[in-house]
């Protein structure tokens, strides 16, 4: 049976429609809420529980036609074991959805003037020597980088005149319900010391991060700018893993944290079905283009960001 035809609701207070693909995830749920709080109509594309479902290209075209912004956040979480099935789904869930949106943008009579697509700051190499910027960053190698580069290639291959495209190379995003949760649990158990192993000794691998609400504000800023291409969405003050775990313990009021060494991390990652790369890769990323364009972060520093997320009073 054919899917019902998508029909937009009444004109929203702002007069704007924002289409979010992948709105059921951690970032998408928060962004949808914030767009609605500002008076925008939000139309979602997803697998289930969305306004329009993947594979229904006709209704996706109707959904994005005349919209002010298309924001694609779709993709299976990388917080899993990298077995063959999961790796295939990580690729498929990004490339196929992005390609389908490209088809819809190409067919829309009035396509959105701005299309932003999720990417990842993990696209850069393991960096201990200098920060990675859009102008001088080195693309890395390995599975995660292959995913990121293929994702961006699929995105930019769908270029259409009049549609400005921005690839959001987002750092580890901190917020309520994010990857922060297991780190908080470990810290409260006394296991919140530095993660030691991998290429960088002593837990000094760089930890680039961004507050969830700053990521949203960056999207709104980019919507009003003329920037296109890859944009790093990351705090201008990344920490090291050692610094991050120490600040987290301090915010939580935990006096000590046992360091977690490589073999412990590998055992733990197998138990919780994730990968040690998420904590051992040195991600040293700076938001060069955002800063040059005049964007100001509400949470540039780690301590205040964690206190706001965890509802802890200022020190």
């Amino acid at each position: 049976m054919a899917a019902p035809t998508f029909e937009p609701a009444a004109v929203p207070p702002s007069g704007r429609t924002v289409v979010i693909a992948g709105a059921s995830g951690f970032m998408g749920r928060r962004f949808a809420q914030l767009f609605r709080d500002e008076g925008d109509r939000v139309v979602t594309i997803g697998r289930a529980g969305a306004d329009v479902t993947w594979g229904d290209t006709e209704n996706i075209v109707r959904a994005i036609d005349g919209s002010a912004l298309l924001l694609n956040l779709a993709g299976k979480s990388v917080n899993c074991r990298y077995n063959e099935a999961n790796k295939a789904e990580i690729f498929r869930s990004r490339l196929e959805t992005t390609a389908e949106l490209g088809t819809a943008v190409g067919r829309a009579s009035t396509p959105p003037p701005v299309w932003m697509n999720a990417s990842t700051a993990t696209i850069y190499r393991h960096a201990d020597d200098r920060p990675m910027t859009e102008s001088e960053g080195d693309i890395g190698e390995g599975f995660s980088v292959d995913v990121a580069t293929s994702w961006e290639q699929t995105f930019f291959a769908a270029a259409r005149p009049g549609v400005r495209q921005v690839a959001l190379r987002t750092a580890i995003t901190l917020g309520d319900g994010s990857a922060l949760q297991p780190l908080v649990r470990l810290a409260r158990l006394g296991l919140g010391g530095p993660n030691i192993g991998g290429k960088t000794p002593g837990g000094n691998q760089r930890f680039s991060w961004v507050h969830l609400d700053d990521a949203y504000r960056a999207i709104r800023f980019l919507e009003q700018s003329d920037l296109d291409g890859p944009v790093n969405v990351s705090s201008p003050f990344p920490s090291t893993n050692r610094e991050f775990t120490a600040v987290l313990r301090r915010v939580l009021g935990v006096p000590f944290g046992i360091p977690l060494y490589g073999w412990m991390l590998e055992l733990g990652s197998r138990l919780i079905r994730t990968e040690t790369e998420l904590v051992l890769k040195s991600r040293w990323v700076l938001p060069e283009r955002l800063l040059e364009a005049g964007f100001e972060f509400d949470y540039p520093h780690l301590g205040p960001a964690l206190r706001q997320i965890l509802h802890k009073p200022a020190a």
Side-chain angles (χ1 to χ4, degrees):
M1 184 174 64
T5 300
F6 171 80
E7 296 291 346
V11 176
S14 70
R16 291 165 27 96
T17 294
V18 174
V19 179
I20 303 180
S24 62
F26 156 67
M27 297 176 72
R29 291 193 304 272
R30 177 62 174 163
F31 292 170
Q33 172 194 329
L34 292 172
F35 277 117
R36 290 185 178 112
D37 288 348
E38 294 193 28
D40 295 335
R41 176 199 294 124
V42 174
V43 176
T44 59
I45 303 171
R47 290 170 298 179
D51 298 309
V52 184
T53 58
W54 293 115
D56 185 4
T57 305
E58 293 299 328
N59 276 330
I60 293 176
V61 172
R62 292 187 181 94
I64 69 173
D65 209 352
S67 63
L69 171 66
L70 172 59
L71 176 61
N72 181 26
L73 305 171
K76 175 179 171 58
S77 172
V78 296
N79 187 19
C80 62
R81 293 298 291 177
Y82 290 168
N83 57 42
E84 293 307 310
N86 282 339
K87 288 196 292 185
E89 181 60 15
I90 287 170
F91 265 107
R92 188 210 62 78
S93 62
R94 286 160 172 75
L95 273 56
E96 289 187 6
T97 53
T98 300
E100 185 171 9
L101 291 176
T103 298
V105 168
R107 290 175 52 186
S109 59
T110 307
V114 186
W115 175 11
M116 298 189 201
N117 215 73
S119 182
T120 173
T122 300
I123 199 169
Y124 299 110
R125 65 171 170 84
H126 183 105
D128 291 322
D129 54 334
R130 61 179 177 85
M132 301 288 105
T133 63
E134 298 94 338
S135 63
E136 297 185 348
D138 300 324
I139 303 301
E141 57 185 20
F143 169 71
S144 296
V145 173
D146 290 344
V147 171
T149 54
S150 298
W151 201 4
E152 290 192 6
Q153 288 167 4
T154 302
F155 174 50
F156 289 118
R160 173 175 173 175
V163 178
R164 181 163 53 89
Q165 292 176 274
V166 181
L168 303 167
R169 290 181 176 175
T170 308
I172 294 172
T173 306
L174 303 179
D176 186 10
S178 69
L180 186 61
Q181 286 184 320
L183 300 177
V184 168
R185 288 196 293 269
L186 286 173
R188 285 175 169 155
L189 290 171
L191 300 173
N195 304 141
I196 299 174
K199 297 179 182 179
T200 304
N204 289 310
Q205 62 271 25
R206 294 284 175 162
F207 182 89
S208 289
W209 60 276
V210 66
H211 190 292
L212 177 62
D213 288 356
D214 271 339
Y216 171 78
R217 292 181 57 253
I219 288 168
R220 293 308 303 259
F221 178 87
L222 287 166
E223 201 184 345
Q224 302 302 317
S225 76
D226 59 0
L227 293 179
D228 62 4
V231 174
N232 293 344
V233 182
S234 180
S235 162
F237 298 104
S239 70
T240 65
N241 178 273
R242 180 176 288 275
E243 291 165 347
F244 173 81
T245 54
V247 172
L248 179 59
R249 294 195 309 272
R250 186 161 62 246
V251 168
L252 293 172
V254 176
F256 67 91
I258 298 172
L260 299 179
Y261 292 89
W263 66 270
M264 301 167 70
L265 292 168
E266 181 57 34
L267 177 60
S269 69
R270 287 180 179 275
L271 290 173
I272 64 174
R273 306 189 67 77
T274 188
E275 291 287 336
T276 59
E277 177 194 33
L278 299 177
V279 293
L280 293 181
K281 180 172 180 177
S282 187
R283 297 173 173 87
W284 191 357
V285 179
L286 293 181
E288 177 183 61
R289 299 189 72 198
L290 277 175
L291 294 177
E292 288 179 350
F295 180 72
E296 296 182 2
F297 288 79
D298 279 353
Y299 301 99
H301 298 287
L302 183 60
L306 290 177
R307 290 186 181 280
Q308 190 277 334
I309 293 165
L310 298 171
H311 309 291
K312 299 293 183 180

